[in-house]
Amino acid sequence: MTSLPPTRDDWSPARAPHIGRGFERRTRSDRRERIWWAFLYGSVRPRRRRVGRRTDDGRFQATDWHGAHLWAVSVGVLILSVVDAFLTVTLMAGGAVEVNPIMAAVMGHDIGVFAILKIAMTGVCVMLMVFLARYRFMRVVRVELLLYGVLVTYLFLVGHEMGMLRVLTDRGSL
């Protein structure tokens, strides 16, 4: 048996005579170059639905697909944030005082900036918490449970503001 001289496409110096020279199997374009297609396709058919095998490594494990319960909690927090901003502005018009000094400073300049800043900060934080939902905060509590805690806290806050609004309307301040 004779050996054929190697070509630049070869990975092995010996090649069977019936196999053609220079045949390239990779005819399609590189899938890593299609960023938007990967983003859109990955939104519908994600690959990483659960955490990998090495969950005890202590490092971050990203997933592409999150459960519907996280979506519901996130939307609930964002809706309650909008309601909180509206009730805060209404209560401030009735004579209430903003306790948060940073938001009080922003609110003193422009109400629109206050509402946009409050909702944007809440949205970014909720998005980050959903992204890190399986991560353990301080290696103790899953961030997913903290997101539920934020939802419950917003429920109590909106309930408290509704009670304050009822008191202000009974006094005739609004």
Side-chain angles (χ1 to χ4, degrees), residues 41-169:
Y41 184 77
S43 298
V44 178
R45 301 191 74 137
R47 292 180 7 171
R48 293 179 295 264
R49 291 186 181 219
R50 51 188 86 77
V51 177
R53 294 176 288 147
R54 296 176 285 184
T55 57
D56 58 339
D57 284 348
R59 53 182 200 197
F60 174 68
Q61 300 282 329
T63 57
D64 289 344
W65 194 265
H66 300 284
H69 64 284
L70 288 177
W71 180 81
V73 171
S74 301
V75 169
V77 167
L78 292 175
I79 288 172
L80 288 173
S81 174
V82 171
V83 171
D84 173 43
F86 175 74
L87 288 175
T88 301
V89 170
T90 305
L91 288 169
M92 294 287 290
V97 177
E98 176 65 41
V99 178
N100 186 346
I102 297 171
M103 286 297 166
V106 172
M107 188 176 255
H109 294 291
D110 189 14
I111 300 293
V113 173
F114 161 76
I116 290 171
L117 183 65
K118 177 174 178 36
I119 295 166
M121 285 189 333
T122 305
V124 167
C125 290
V126 165
M127 186 174 61
L128 185 64
M129 289 178 81
V130 168
F131 183 69
L132 297 171
R134 296 183 188 268
Y135 188 74
R136 291 192 176 272
F137 179 69
M138 304 285 283
R139 295 186 181 176
V140 177
V141 181
R142 285 179 62 175
V143 175
E144 178 180 1
L145 295 177
L146 292 176
L147 192 59
Y148 281 108
V150 170
L151 178 69
V152 170
T153 303
Y154 259 114
L155 284 171
F156 281 120
L157 178 65
V158 168
H160 174 68
E161 288 175 339
M162 296 289 277
M164 288 174 55
L165 189 63
R166 192 173 313 124
V167 168
L168 283 178
T169 55

